[in-house]
PDB file of all heavy atoms in Angstrom:
ATOM      1  N   SER A 211       5.618  11.044   2.567  1.00  0.00           N
ATOM      2  CA  SER A 211       4.157  10.899   2.717  1.00  0.00           C
ATOM      3  C   SER A 211       3.583   9.991   1.655  1.00  0.00           C
ATOM      4  O   SER A 211       2.616   9.259   1.897  1.00  0.00           O
ATOM      5  CB  SER A 211       3.499  12.290   2.645  1.00  0.00           C
ATOM      6  OG  SER A 211       3.782  12.893   1.387  1.00  0.00           O
ATOM      7  N   VAL A 212       4.162  10.044   0.485  1.00  0.00           N
ATOM      8  CA  VAL A 212       3.598   9.220  -0.606  1.00  0.00           C
ATOM      9  C   VAL A 212       3.828   7.745  -0.329  1.00  0.00           C
ATOM     10  O   VAL A 212       2.938   6.924  -0.463  1.00  0.00           O
ATOM     11  CB  VAL A 212       4.216   9.637  -1.941  1.00  0.00           C
ATOM     12  CG1 VAL A 212       3.753   8.719  -3.051  1.00  0.00           C
ATOM     13  CG2 VAL A 212       3.842  11.061  -2.251  1.00  0.00           C
ATOM     14  N   SER A 213       5.103   7.425   0.067  1.00  0.00           N
ATOM     15  CA  SER A 213       5.402   5.987   0.281  1.00  0.00           C
ATOM     16  C   SER A 213       4.692   5.438   1.487  1.00  0.00           C
ATOM     17  O   SER A 213       4.408   4.255   1.541  1.00  0.00           O
ATOM     18  CB  SER A 213       6.908   5.797   0.429  1.00  0.00           C
ATOM     19  OG  SER A 213       7.375   6.547   1.545  1.00  0.00           O
ATOM     20  N   ASN A 214       4.395   6.306   2.460  1.00  0.00           N
ATOM     21  CA  ASN A 214       3.689   5.825   3.653  1.00  0.00           C
ATOM     22  C   ASN A 214       2.183   5.957   3.527  1.00  0.00           C
ATOM     23  O   ASN A 214       1.460   5.646   4.469  1.00  0.00           O
ATOM     24  CB  ASN A 214       4.163   6.597   4.889  1.00  0.00           C
ATOM     25  CG  ASN A 214       5.623   6.271   5.209  1.00  0.00           C
ATOM     26  OD1 ASN A 214       6.070   5.169   4.959  1.00  0.00           O
ATOM     27  ND2 ASN A 214       6.330   7.255   5.753  1.00  0.00           N
ATOM     28  N   ASN A 215       1.723   6.413   2.372  1.00  0.00           N
ATOM     29  CA  ASN A 215       0.284   6.567   2.169  1.00  0.00           C
ATOM     30  C   ASN A 215      -0.340   5.172   2.057  1.00  0.00           C
ATOM     31  O   ASN A 215       0.076   4.361   1.224  1.00  0.00           O
ATOM     32  CB  ASN A 215       0.025   7.372   0.898  1.00  0.00           C
ATOM     33  CG  ASN A 215      -1.464   7.735   0.780  1.00  0.00           C
ATOM     34  OD1 ASN A 215      -2.280   7.337   1.587  1.00  0.00           O
ATOM     35  ND2 ASN A 215      -1.770   8.506  -0.251  1.00  0.00           N
ATOM     36  N   PRO A 216      -1.348   4.838   2.870  1.00  0.00           N
ATOM     37  CA  PRO A 216      -1.984   3.511   2.798  1.00  0.00           C
ATOM     38  C   PRO A 216      -2.588   3.233   1.425  1.00  0.00           C
ATOM     39  O   PRO A 216      -2.556   2.090   0.948  1.00  0.00           O
ATOM     40  CB  PRO A 216      -3.053   3.573   3.885  1.00  0.00           C
ATOM     41  CG  PRO A 216      -2.562   4.604   4.852  1.00  0.00           C
ATOM     42  CD  PRO A 216      -1.865   5.644   4.013  1.00  0.00           C
ATOM     43  N   VAL A 217      -3.157   4.255   0.771  1.00  0.00           N
ATOM     44  CA  VAL A 217      -3.745   4.049  -0.546  1.00  0.00           C
ATOM     45  C   VAL A 217      -2.662   3.656  -1.556  1.00  0.00           C
ATOM     46  O   VAL A 217      -2.840   2.754  -2.388  1.00  0.00           O
ATOM     47  CB  VAL A 217      -4.492   5.301  -1.012  1.00  0.00           C
ATOM     48  CG1 VAL A 217      -5.034   5.117  -2.415  1.00  0.00           C
ATOM     49  CG2 VAL A 217      -5.601   5.641  -0.033  1.00  0.00           C
ATOM     50  N   TYR A 218      -1.536   4.324  -1.476  1.00  0.00           N
ATOM     51  CA  TYR A 218      -0.431   4.002  -2.373  1.00  0.00           C
ATOM     52  C   TYR A 218       0.084   2.577  -2.138  1.00  0.00           C
ATOM     53  O   TYR A 218       0.383   1.843  -3.084  1.00  0.00           O
ATOM     54  CB  TYR A 218       0.699   5.025  -2.160  1.00  0.00           C
ATOM     55  CG  TYR A 218       1.896   4.811  -3.021  1.00  0.00           C
ATOM     56  CD1 TYR A 218       1.874   5.160  -4.376  1.00  0.00           C
ATOM     57  CD2 TYR A 218       3.068   4.239  -2.485  1.00  0.00           C
ATOM     58  CE1 TYR A 218       2.981   4.959  -5.161  1.00  0.00           C
ATOM     59  CE2 TYR A 218       4.170   4.035  -3.281  1.00  0.00           C
ATOM     60  CZ  TYR A 218       4.138   4.396  -4.628  1.00  0.00           C
ATOM     61  OH  TYR A 218       5.248   4.158  -5.409  1.00  0.00           O
ATOM     62  N   GLN A 219       0.168   2.245  -0.845  1.00  0.00           N
ATOM     63  CA  GLN A 219       0.604   0.888  -0.529  1.00  0.00           C
ATOM     64  C   GLN A 219      -0.373  -0.148  -1.063  1.00  0.00           C
ATOM     65  O   GLN A 219       0.026  -1.207  -1.577  1.00  0.00           O
ATOM     66  CB  GLN A 219       0.783   0.733   0.995  1.00  0.00           C
ATOM     67  CG  GLN A 219       1.941   1.557   1.550  1.00  0.00           C
ATOM     68  CD  GLN A 219       2.057   1.420   3.057  1.00  0.00           C
ATOM     69  OE1 GLN A 219       1.249   0.729   3.677  1.00  0.00           O
ATOM     70  NE2 GLN A 219       3.057   2.085   3.636  1.00  0.00           N
ATOM     71  N   GLN A 220      -1.665   0.135  -0.941  1.00  0.00           N
ATOM     72  CA  GLN A 220      -2.655  -0.817  -1.468  1.00  0.00           C
ATOM     73  C   GLN A 220      -2.563  -0.931  -2.988  1.00  0.00           C
ATOM     74  O   GLN A 220      -2.722  -2.007  -3.553  1.00  0.00           O
ATOM     75  CB  GLN A 220      -4.057  -0.368  -1.039  1.00  0.00           C
ATOM     76  CG  GLN A 220      -4.331  -0.546   0.450  1.00  0.00           C
ATOM     77  CD  GLN A 220      -5.724  -0.099   0.834  1.00  0.00           C
ATOM     78  OE1 GLN A 220      -6.488   0.356  -0.015  1.00  0.00           O
ATOM     79  NE2 GLN A 220      -6.031  -0.203   2.119  1.00  0.00           N
ATOM     80  N   LEU A 221      -2.278   0.154  -3.686  1.00  0.00           N
ATOM     81  CA  LEU A 221      -2.101   0.097  -5.132  1.00  0.00           C
ATOM     82  C   LEU A 221      -0.888  -0.747  -5.509  1.00  0.00           C
ATOM     83  O   LEU A 221      -0.924  -1.528  -6.471  1.00  0.00           O
ATOM     84  CB  LEU A 221      -1.945   1.509  -5.700  1.00  0.00           C
ATOM     85  CG  LEU A 221      -3.227   2.360  -5.748  1.00  0.00           C
ATOM     86  CD1 LEU A 221      -2.899   3.769  -6.216  1.00  0.00           C
ATOM     87  CD2 LEU A 221      -4.247   1.728  -6.687  1.00  0.00           C
ATOM     88  N   LYS A 222       0.188  -0.583  -4.738  1.00  0.00           N
ATOM     89  CA  LYS A 222       1.363  -1.390  -5.022  1.00  0.00           C
ATOM     90  C   LYS A 222       1.099  -2.867  -4.777  1.00  0.00           C
ATOM     91  O   LYS A 222       1.538  -3.750  -5.534  1.00  0.00           O
ATOM     92  CB  LYS A 222       2.542  -0.911  -4.155  1.00  0.00           C
ATOM     93  CG  LYS A 222       3.067   0.457  -4.535  1.00  0.00           C
ATOM     94  CD  LYS A 222       4.350   0.785  -3.814  1.00  0.00           C
ATOM     95  CE  LYS A 222       5.476  -0.082  -4.279  1.00  0.00           C
ATOM     96  NZ  LYS A 222       6.770   0.288  -3.659  1.00  0.00           N
ATOM     97  N   ILE A 223       0.332  -3.150  -3.697  1.00  0.00           N
ATOM     98  CA  ILE A 223      -0.015  -4.563  -3.427  1.00  0.00           C
ATOM     99  C   ILE A 223      -0.882  -5.121  -4.553  1.00  0.00           C
ATOM    100  O   ILE A 223      -0.687  -6.243  -5.026  1.00  0.00           O
ATOM    101  CB  ILE A 223      -0.727  -4.670  -2.056  1.00  0.00           C
ATOM    102  CG1 ILE A 223       0.252  -4.344  -0.917  1.00  0.00           C
ATOM    103  CG2 ILE A 223      -1.325  -6.059  -1.867  1.00  0.00           C
ATOM    104  CD1 ILE A 223      -0.395  -4.232   0.455  1.00  0.00           C
ATOM    105  N   ALA A 224      -1.855  -4.323  -5.015  1.00  0.00           N
ATOM    106  CA  ALA A 224      -2.709  -4.768  -6.113  1.00  0.00           C
ATOM    107  C   ALA A 224      -1.909  -4.971  -7.393  1.00  0.00           C
ATOM    108  O   ALA A 224      -2.155  -5.913  -8.169  1.00  0.00           O
ATOM    109  CB  ALA A 224      -3.837  -3.764  -6.356  1.00  0.00           C
ATOM    110  N   LEU A 225      -0.894  -4.108  -7.628  1.00  0.00           N
ATOM    111  CA  LEU A 225      -0.050  -4.260  -8.800  1.00  0.00           C
ATOM    112  C   LEU A 225       0.769  -5.550  -8.723  1.00  0.00           C
ATOM    113  O   LEU A 225       0.914  -6.284  -9.710  1.00  0.00           O
ATOM    114  CB  LEU A 225       0.891  -3.061  -8.933  1.00  0.00           C
ATOM    115  CG  LEU A 225       1.860  -3.103 -10.109  1.00  0.00           C
ATOM    116  CD1 LEU A 225       1.110  -3.162 -11.437  1.00  0.00           C
ATOM    117  CD2 LEU A 225       2.794  -1.879 -10.067  1.00  0.00           C
ATOM    118  N   ALA A 226       1.289  -5.841  -7.528  1.00  0.00           N
ATOM    119  CA  ALA A 226       2.049  -7.093  -7.365  1.00  0.00           C
ATOM    120  C   ALA A 226       1.152  -8.301  -7.597  1.00  0.00           C
ATOM    121  O   ALA A 226       1.547  -9.288  -8.248  1.00  0.00           O
ATOM    122  CB  ALA A 226       2.673  -7.139  -5.964  1.00  0.00           C
ATOM    123  N   GLU A 227      -0.081  -8.220  -7.061  1.00  0.00           N
ATOM    124  CA  GLU A 227      -1.014  -9.329  -7.291  1.00  0.00           C
ATOM    125  C   GLU A 227      -1.341  -9.460  -8.773  1.00  0.00           C
ATOM    126  O   GLU A 227      -1.450 -10.564  -9.305  1.00  0.00           O
ATOM    127  CB  GLU A 227      -2.290  -9.104  -6.482  1.00  0.00           C
ATOM    128  CG  GLU A 227      -2.075  -9.229  -4.974  1.00  0.00           C
ATOM    129  CD  GLU A 227      -3.351  -8.934  -4.204  1.00  0.00           C
ATOM    130  OE1 GLU A 227      -4.345  -8.518  -4.870  1.00  0.00           O
ATOM    131  OE2 GLU A 227      -3.375  -9.135  -2.972  1.00  0.00           O
ATOM    132  N   SER A 228      -1.490  -8.348  -9.451  1.00  0.00           N
ATOM    133  CA  SER A 228      -1.773  -8.394 -10.885  1.00  0.00           C
ATOM    134  C   SER A 228      -0.604  -8.994 -11.661  1.00  0.00           C
ATOM    135  O   SER A 228      -0.795  -9.775 -12.601  1.00  0.00           O
ATOM    136  CB  SER A 228      -2.072  -6.981 -11.397  1.00  0.00           C
ATOM    137  OG  SER A 228      -2.333  -6.997 -12.780  1.00  0.00           O
ATOM    138  N   GLU A 229       0.654  -8.605 -11.236  1.00  0.00           N
ATOM    139  CA  GLU A 229       1.826  -9.189 -11.885  1.00  0.00           C
ATOM    140  C   GLU A 229       1.849 -10.715 -11.683  1.00  0.00           C
ATOM    141  O   GLU A 229       2.132 -11.483 -12.612  1.00  0.00           O
ATOM    142  CB  GLU A 229       3.099  -8.566 -11.322  1.00  0.00           C
ATOM    143  CG  GLU A 229       3.310  -7.113 -11.687  1.00  0.00           C
ATOM    144  CD  GLU A 229       3.802  -6.952 -13.114  1.00  0.00           C
ATOM    145  OE1 GLU A 229       4.025  -7.994 -13.784  1.00  0.00           O
ATOM    146  OE2 GLU A 229       3.937  -5.807 -13.565  1.00  0.00           O
ATOM    147  N   ALA A 230       1.549 -11.135 -10.465  1.00  0.00           N
ATOM    148  CA  ALA A 230       1.530 -12.578 -10.190  1.00  0.00           C
ATOM    149  C   ALA A 230       0.448 -13.273 -11.007  1.00  0.00           C
ATOM    150  O   ALA A 230       0.649 -14.381 -11.539  1.00  0.00           O
ATOM    151  CB  ALA A 230       1.312 -12.819  -8.699  1.00  0.00           C
ATOM    152  N   ASN A 231      -0.727 -12.611 -11.130  1.00  0.00           N
ATOM    153  CA  ASN A 231      -1.823 -13.193 -11.918  1.00  0.00           C
ATOM    154  C   ASN A 231      -1.425 -13.308 -13.388  1.00  0.00           C
ATOM    155  O   ASN A 231      -1.717 -14.305 -14.063  1.00  0.00           O
ATOM    156  CB  ASN A 231      -3.073 -12.339 -11.751  1.00  0.00           C
ATOM    157  CG  ASN A 231      -4.290 -12.983 -12.386  1.00  0.00           C
ATOM    158  OD1 ASN A 231      -4.337 -14.207 -12.538  1.00  0.00           O
ATOM    159  ND2 ASN A 231      -5.270 -12.178 -12.748  1.00  0.00           N
ATOM    160  N   VAL A 232      -0.732 -12.268 -13.899  1.00  0.00           N
ATOM    161  CA  VAL A 232      -0.283 -12.306 -15.299  1.00  0.00           C
ATOM    162  C   VAL A 232       0.714 -13.450 -15.508  1.00  0.00           C
ATOM    163  O   VAL A 232       0.649 -14.190 -16.506  1.00  0.00           O
ATOM    164  CB  VAL A 232       0.327 -10.947 -15.699  1.00  0.00           C
ATOM    165  CG1 VAL A 232       1.049 -11.065 -17.041  1.00  0.00           C
ATOM    166  CG2 VAL A 232      -0.753  -9.885 -15.769  1.00  0.00           C
ATOM    167  N   ALA A 233       1.643 -13.605 -14.569  1.00  0.00           N
ATOM    168  CA  ALA A 233       2.624 -14.698 -14.685  1.00  0.00           C
ATOM    169  C   ALA A 233       1.925 -16.061 -14.657  1.00  0.00           C
ATOM    170  O   ALA A 233       2.272 -16.986 -15.417  1.00  0.00           O
ATOM    171  CB  ALA A 233       3.656 -14.590 -13.568  1.00  0.00           C
ATOM    172  N   SER A 234       0.930 -16.179 -13.780  1.00  0.00           N
ATOM    173  CA  SER A 234       0.194 -17.449 -13.697  1.00  0.00           C
ATOM    174  C   SER A 234      -0.553 -17.734 -14.994  1.00  0.00           C
ATOM    175  O   SER A 234      -0.547 -18.864 -15.508  1.00  0.00           O
ATOM    176  CB  SER A 234      -0.775 -17.400 -12.514  1.00  0.00           C
ATOM    177  OG  SER A 234      -1.576 -18.554 -12.482  1.00  0.00           O
ATOM    178  N   LEU A 235      -1.201 -16.686 -15.554  1.00  0.00           N
ATOM    179  CA  LEU A 235      -1.931 -16.876 -16.809  1.00  0.00           C
ATOM    180  C   LEU A 235      -0.979 -17.180 -17.957  1.00  0.00           C
ATOM    181  O   LEU A 235      -1.315 -17.958 -18.861  1.00  0.00           O
ATOM    182  CB  LEU A 235      -2.763 -15.628 -17.109  1.00  0.00           C
ATOM    183  CG  LEU A 235      -3.977 -15.417 -16.189  1.00  0.00           C
ATOM    184  CD1 LEU A 235      -4.656 -14.093 -16.495  1.00  0.00           C
ATOM    185  CD2 LEU A 235      -4.973 -16.574 -16.340  1.00  0.00           C
ATOM    186  N   ARG A 236       0.196 -16.579 -17.950  1.00  0.00           N
ATOM    187  CA  ARG A 236       1.173 -16.887 -18.994  1.00  0.00           C
ATOM    188  C   ARG A 236       1.607 -18.358 -18.919  1.00  0.00           C
ATOM    189  O   ARG A 236       1.730 -19.046 -19.946  1.00  0.00           O
ATOM    190  CB  ARG A 236       2.379 -15.972 -18.861  1.00  0.00           C
ATOM    191  CG  ARG A 236       2.147 -14.570 -19.384  1.00  0.00           C
ATOM    192  CD  ARG A 236       3.371 -13.717 -19.194  1.00  0.00           C
ATOM    193  NE  ARG A 236       3.161 -12.372 -19.738  1.00  0.00           N
ATOM    194  CZ  ARG A 236       4.020 -11.362 -19.586  1.00  0.00           C
ATOM    195  NH1 ARG A 236       5.166 -11.587 -18.879  1.00  0.00           N
ATOM    196  NH2 ARG A 236       3.771 -10.182 -20.101  1.00  0.00           N
ATOM    197  N   ALA A 237       1.840 -18.834 -17.685  1.00  0.00           N
ATOM    198  CA  ALA A 237       2.201 -20.251 -17.523  1.00  0.00           C
ATOM    199  C   ALA A 237       1.068 -21.162 -17.996  1.00  0.00           C
ATOM    200  O   ALA A 237       1.303 -22.195 -18.644  1.00  0.00           O
ATOM    201  CB  ALA A 237       2.545 -20.536 -16.058  1.00  0.00           C
ATOM    202  N   ARG A 238      -0.179 -20.761 -17.693  1.00  0.00           N
ATOM    203  CA  ARG A 238      -1.320 -21.574 -18.131  1.00  0.00           C
ATOM    204  C   ARG A 238      -1.420 -21.580 -19.645  1.00  0.00           C
ATOM    205  O   ARG A 238      -1.639 -22.637 -20.271  1.00  0.00           O
ATOM    206  CB  ARG A 238      -2.602 -21.017 -17.515  1.00  0.00           C
ATOM    207  CG  ARG A 238      -3.838 -21.803 -17.920  1.00  0.00           C
ATOM    208  CD  ARG A 238      -5.088 -21.215 -17.307  1.00  0.00           C
ATOM    209  NE  ARG A 238      -5.015 -21.263 -15.851  1.00  0.00           N
ATOM    210  CZ  ARG A 238      -5.977 -20.796 -15.049  1.00  0.00           C
ATOM    211  NH1 ARG A 238      -7.050 -20.217 -15.582  1.00  0.00           N
ATOM    212  NH2 ARG A 238      -5.859 -20.892 -13.740  1.00  0.00           N
ATOM    213  N   VAL A 239      -1.258 -20.394 -20.260  1.00  0.00           N
ATOM    214  CA  VAL A 239      -1.327 -20.325 -21.720  1.00  0.00           C
ATOM    215  C   VAL A 239      -0.209 -21.164 -22.359  1.00  0.00           C
ATOM    216  O   VAL A 239      -0.420 -21.889 -23.341  1.00  0.00           O
ATOM    217  CB  VAL A 239      -1.248 -18.861 -22.189  1.00  0.00           C
ATOM    218  CG1 VAL A 239      -1.047 -18.782 -23.699  1.00  0.00           C
ATOM    219  CG2 VAL A 239      -2.519 -18.117 -21.791  1.00  0.00           C
ATOM    220  N   SER A 240       0.993 -21.082 -21.782  1.00  0.00           N
ATOM    221  CA  SER A 240       2.101 -21.865 -22.314  1.00  0.00           C
ATOM    222  C   SER A 240       1.826 -23.364 -22.197  1.00  0.00           C
ATOM    223  O   SER A 240       2.090 -24.145 -23.124  1.00  0.00           O
ATOM    224  CB  SER A 240       3.388 -21.499 -21.571  1.00  0.00           C
ATOM    225  OG  SER A 240       4.447 -22.294 -22.015  1.00  0.00           O
ATOM    226  N   GLU A 241       1.263 -23.785 -21.073  1.00  0.00           N
ATOM    227  CA  GLU A 241       0.946 -25.201 -20.882  1.00  0.00           C
ATOM    228  C   GLU A 241      -0.093 -25.680 -21.889  1.00  0.00           C
ATOM    229  O   GLU A 241       0.059 -26.744 -22.512  1.00  0.00           O
ATOM    230  CB  GLU A 241       0.465 -25.426 -19.447  1.00  0.00           C
ATOM    231  CG  GLU A 241      -0.003 -26.838 -19.150  1.00  0.00           C
ATOM    232  CD  GLU A 241       1.100 -27.866 -19.275  1.00  0.00           C
ATOM    233  OE1 GLU A 241       2.279 -27.493 -19.175  1.00  0.00           O
ATOM    234  OE2 GLU A 241       0.775 -29.057 -19.501  1.00  0.00           O
ATOM    235  N   TYR A 242      -1.163 -24.879 -22.053  1.00  0.00           N
ATOM    236  CA  TYR A 242      -2.203 -25.283 -22.996  1.00  0.00           C
ATOM    237  C   TYR A 242      -1.701 -25.238 -24.441  1.00  0.00           C
ATOM    238  O   TYR A 242      -2.141 -26.032 -25.279  1.00  0.00           O
ATOM    239  CB  TYR A 242      -3.446 -24.410 -22.831  1.00  0.00           C
ATOM    240  CG  TYR A 242      -4.306 -24.853 -21.665  1.00  0.00           C
ATOM    241  CD1 TYR A 242      -4.444 -24.053 -20.534  1.00  0.00           C
ATOM    242  CD2 TYR A 242      -4.984 -26.077 -21.704  1.00  0.00           C
ATOM    243  CE1 TYR A 242      -5.231 -24.464 -19.459  1.00  0.00           C
ATOM    244  CE2 TYR A 242      -5.767 -26.483 -20.633  1.00  0.00           C
ATOM    245  CZ  TYR A 242      -5.883 -25.684 -19.510  1.00  0.00           C
ATOM    246  OH  TYR A 242      -6.655 -26.096 -18.463  1.00  0.00           O
ATOM    247  N   GLU A 243      -0.790 -24.313 -24.739  1.00  0.00           N
ATOM    248  CA  GLU A 243      -0.210 -24.311 -26.078  1.00  0.00           C
ATOM    249  C   GLU A 243       0.614 -25.576 -26.330  1.00  0.00           C
ATOM    250  O   GLU A 243       0.558 -26.161 -27.423  1.00  0.00           O
ATOM    251  CB  GLU A 243       0.671 -23.063 -26.257  1.00  0.00           C
ATOM    252  CG  GLU A 243      -0.131 -21.788 -26.445  1.00  0.00           C
ATOM    253  CD  GLU A 243       0.774 -20.581 -26.573  1.00  0.00           C
ATOM    254  OE1 GLU A 243       1.986 -20.734 -26.291  1.00  0.00           O
ATOM    255  OE2 GLU A 243       0.269 -19.496 -26.936  1.00  0.00           O
TER     256      GLU A 243
END
């Protein structure tokens, strides 16, 4: 039930997007450095 919970799935999607955003910001910071 937990893995099939839509709310849980949306949290995981948001976490993946946040991870991608962090990676993008790290690349930007590295470039500007």
Side-chain angles (χ1 to χ4, degrees):
S211 60
V212 175
S213 60
N214 293 328
N215 189 356
V217 177
Y218 180 76
Q219 293 178 358
Q220 289 180 359
L221 287 175
K222 291 189 68 176
I223 292 172
L225 179 60
E227 291 177 354
S228 179
E229 291 283 357
N231 188 25
V232 168
S234 175
L235 289 175
R236 283 179 178 173
R238 180 181 299 179
V239 169
S240 177
E241 175 64 22
Y242 280 112
E243 285 178 348

